[in-house]
Amino acid sequence: MKAARGRKGGRPISNQKKVEQALKLYDAQGHTAKEIEELTGISRASLYRAIKRRSEQGSA
């Protein structure tokens, strides 16, 4: 087997601008997670993952 030579594997992360937009909509409390998913194209799982990541960074 040869070395990976600096290549990373795995699925690419979501578009950060869309994630930020989804978080703003979530913070405004005017939309459900399902509506945010439909508006931004970010899945509910990705939305909740971003919320969790944000709260962990704030408490660290």
Side-chain angles (χ1 to χ4, degrees):
M1 265 176 137
K2 293 187 177 184
R5 294 190 181 183
R7 295 184 189 96
K8 288 188 187 179
R11 184 175 177 87
I13 59 172
S14 299
N15 182 340
Q16 194 58 36
K17 289 189 186 258
K18 286 185 178 182
V19 172
E20 289 171 9
Q21 180 187 10
L23 288 171
K24 285 180 185 176
L25 290 169
Y26 178 83
D27 290 339
Q29 298 180 351
H31 299 282
T32 65
K34 182 71 174 168
E35 291 171 339
I36 294 170
E37 178 181 19
E38 292 170 356
L39 289 169
T40 62
I42 298 294
S43 71
R44 286 182 297 160
S46 294
L47 173 62
Y48 289 129
R49 192 178 314 116
I51 292 166
K52 182 179 179 183
R53 197 176 314 127
R54 181 176 66 174
S55 67
E56 289 173 352
Q57 287 177 351
S59 63

